[in-house]
Amino acid sequence: MEDIIDEILRLKKERKAIVLAHLYQPQEIQEIADYTGDSFGLSRQAAGTDAEVIVFCGVKFMAETANILAPDKITLLPAADATCRMFTDSLTGEVAQLRKEKPDAVFVAYVNTPAAVKAMADICCTSSNAAAVVASIPEDKEIVFLPDGNLGSFAEEQTGRRMTCWKGGCPTHMGLTKEELAAAKAKYPGAPVLMHPECRPEVRAMADYVGSTTGIIKYAEKSDASDFIIATEEGVLYELETRCPGKHFHLAARHLLCPNMKKTTLEKVRDALKTLEPRVVVPQDVREKSVAALEKMLAITGK
């Protein structure tokens, strides 16, 4: 493994590349990354560097966002088959059809969605600013929120706005049940439950804090508690343990694991740097429309 890591470090210099790793990536991938974090934050960081190559260790829509924000850089996705189980390939066509049916509605697209869907949206949002984005929309406008219905319902709870929420969702987060969380709370009494808003509403109601992956980490850093129950993908435990020495983190359920996030390997990162493949290139027309939706979000929230 050390030989592969040395090779990656050498190739990074040769290619003037940076490696981005989402917080759900395997530990060994996070360890060799230049930046770790949430998907949109990583893309913004990469766009602001002088790197010529972006190696995005995550899933496809994340690499697309990086390419949207930094089209002048080569964007690589080491695990070419790393897609997202929140939606299927039919999502783009289904959204296009609904736009025809609801021409006057405001379409809000979670950044965790394909570039082609961002391009059809009026505005994007992240898991940390969804409520702010929804609250900014005039009250007389119908809102369609996609593709994560659970994040949509969370924004509804925060704002009091009623929306048409897509019926999609992240299987990893949706799989957590009230019974599983209750068992974890009984096992670790008094431990705050930190949860991602992609979990179901009835499960979110049992949490002490609901927020983005970065928000969960910041909460744990500031909290005086020594034990926490974590209700999001298990990859975040590495960052939590790194940044919060002496504190203990317990997964709400053992099945909180995204198989597509675990498809990235050190060998795939090395090979991507060697060959500059597989590349992710967003078509110019899609990129321009996606940028418009992202810029509207940033104008409201700044992040």
Side-chain angles (χ1 to χ4, degrees):
M1 183 179 292
E2 289 184 4
D3 290 343
I4 295 177
I5 293 173
D6 288 342
E7 195 171 1
I8 289 171
L9 296 176
R10 176 181 61 79
L11 287 165
K12 277 203 306 181
K13 290 181 180 179
E14 291 179 3
R15 298 297 196 186
K16 295 183 180 179
I18 54 170
V19 175
L20 312 180
H22 190 274
L23 289 162
Y24 296 164
Q25 286 286 294
Q27 177 175 329
E28 62 271 19
I29 300 300
Q30 294 190 51
E31 287 176 343
I32 56 99
D34 296 288
Y35 300 104
T36 59
D38 285 332
S39 61
F40 187 61
L42 287 172
S43 294
R44 293 186 76 190
Q45 282 183 307
T49 71
D50 60 1
E52 296 179 3
V53 177
I54 298 170
V55 183
F56 209 124
C57 301
V59 296
K60 186 177 180 181
F61 72 75
M62 297 178 181
E64 286 183 334
T65 303
N67 188 247
I68 287 168
L69 297 184
D72 56 320
K73 304 180 191 297
I74 294 172
T75 304
L76 305 176
L77 180 66
D81 60 341
T83 54
C84 181
R85 298 186 299 156
M86 189 187 302
F87 46 80
T88 65
D89 291 341
S90 65
L91 177 65
T92 302
E94 291 168 354
V95 172
Q97 179 60 37
L98 192 60
R99 286 236 60 149
K100 292 178 182 178
E101 297 172 7
K102 295 179 178 289
D104 297 324
V106 175
F107 279 64
V108 179
Y110 190 15
V111 292
N112 294 12
T113 198
V117 174
K118 289 185 183 73
M120 287 188 284
D122 296 291
I123 189 169
C124 288
C125 74
T126 68
S127 56
S128 62
N129 67 25
V133 167
V134 169
S136 73
I137 298 169
E139 293 188 4
D140 62 341
K141 286 289 188 179
E142 179 183 3
I143 301 173
V144 176
F145 190 99
L146 52 98
D148 191 290
N150 289 318
L151 179 60
S153 69
F154 180 66
E156 285 183 322
E157 293 166 4
Q158 299 295 301
T159 63
R161 295 291 299 272
R162 300 303 300 171
M163 302 184 290
T164 298
C165 293
W166 207 260
K167 296 189 183 299
C170 168
T172 299
H173 290 100
M174 287 179 69
L176 181 64
T177 67
K178 291 172 61 177
E179 292 75 19
E180 288 170 329
L181 186 53
K185 288 166 72 77
K187 188 173 182 180
Y188 306 106
V193 176
L194 313 186
M195 183 177 294
H196 198 280
E198 290 177 12
C199 292
R200 297 176 186 273
E202 64 271 20
V203 181
R204 289 199 307 264
M206 301 170 66
D208 296 283
Y209 171 80
V210 179
S212 67
T213 311
T214 298
I216 287 172
I217 293 169
K218 290 180 178 178
Y219 185 101
E221 285 182 307
K222 295 177 181 178
S223 174
D224 293 330
S226 58
D227 284 82
F228 302 85
I229 296 169
I230 304 301
T232 189
E233 213 274 350
E234 61 89 27
V236 75
L237 295 181
Y238 170 70
E239 186 74 4
L240 283 166
E241 291 165 354
T242 300
R243 290 170 59 169
C244 304
K247 295 182 179 181
H248 308 283
F249 301 96
H250 315 282
L251 270 185
R254 294 180 64 183
H255 61 72
L256 288 169
L257 184 148
C258 174
N260 285 329
M261 280 290 188
K262 307 309 184 192
K263 288 182 176 180
T264 312
T265 64
L266 291 173
E267 290 82 1
K268 289 179 181 179
V269 173
R270 177 201 60 196
D271 293 346
L273 284 165
K274 273 185 176 180
T275 64
L276 294 182
E277 296 287 349
R279 297 193 189 192
V280 172
V281 181
V282 176
Q284 180 67 11
D285 60 332
V286 173
R287 191 192 78 80
E288 289 176 354
K289 293 175 182 177
S290 298
V291 166
L294 291 167
E295 287 180 344
K296 287 180 184 177
M297 172 187 75
L298 292 172
I300 292 166
T301 67
K303 59 181 181 178

